[in-house]
Amino acid sequence: MAGAWRILERDSVGSTNDEARALAQAGDPGRVAVVARRQTAGRGRLGRPWVSEPGGLYLSALLRPALPAARAGLLPLAAGVAVAEAAERLGARPELRWPNDVLVGGRKLAGVLCEARFAPGAAALEWVVIGVGLNVQQRGPTLLAAGGTSLAQLGIATDPAALRGPLLARLDAAVAQAQGSPDTLLAAWMRRSPMLGKPVQVMTHAGPVGGSAERVSSEGALIVRTTDGLREIHDPDLVRVEL
Ligand code: BTN
């Protein structure tokens, strides 16, 4: 059984992902989560900012899971499933959009930003930072104007600190599935995703790719049927961190 998580609580940081990356690079053994009450330079996918006012959960988990590099694309899906399950426990009914957006009624409840380092020239993952931004108590026009929602907006009263434990426990379970039985993880992800079989436009660093979302591969890639045939799209933000 995996050991306990260490939680490092911060009041205000630039980005909890940056803090967790610094720990990784300093040799921290992992199973540590950095949480902050607010972030001044929260980062989202595709270089977008992540507005991080008090009231949200801003958590970055550092893990060193034994995982072949080819399967690293399953980690963003694992994170999405973990966040969805933690929200479901409170009565929310989130949907997942590849690779790891958590939506309710088409509005974004949470986002995940995974950053990983692979051992030089090796086929294995060295560490991964799984950053989760979950809208908990925020209300108000900024969130709504940005297409977001929050647990409070959905009528669910809780606070960010109460969500950490359940989220990390589900993250442990989902990462274990990525390591052992990806079919179970993929089924959990696909069960919550209405996008499969539908027309999609996926943003990649090379530009948008349009077509029909067919399925998610055993490596976590989205398979899209385009006019030029099947395209396999990997999460552009699961970046290889170079030291
Ligand atoms: C997205 O664009 O949907 C991903 C958002 C990820 C935001 C979280 S908040 C905690 C962690 N720290 C960051 O700077 N980003 C992630």
Side-chain angles (χ1 to χ4, degrees), residues 150-172:
S150 66
L151 292 174
Q153 205 74 48
L154 299 171
I156 298 170
T158 185
D159 65 84
L163 285 157
R164 293 174 201 164
L167 174 62
L168 291 170
R170 281 161 178 81
L171 193 58
D172 272 333

Side-chain angles (χ1 to χ4, degrees), residues 66-118:
L67 193 70
R71 280 209 205 171
L74 291 171
L75 293 171
L77 306 189
V81 168
V83 176
E85 287 178 348
E88 283 164 5
R89 178 182 157 269
L90 300 171
R93 289 288 162 264
E95 293 177 339
L96 296 175
R97 184 171 63 193
W98 187 90
N100 47 27
D101 285 341
V102 183
L103 309 166
V104 175
R107 291 185 161 273
K108 195 147 153 172
L109 179 67
V112 177
L113 182 65
C114 292
E115 296 176 291
R117 178 172 151 86
F118 300 87

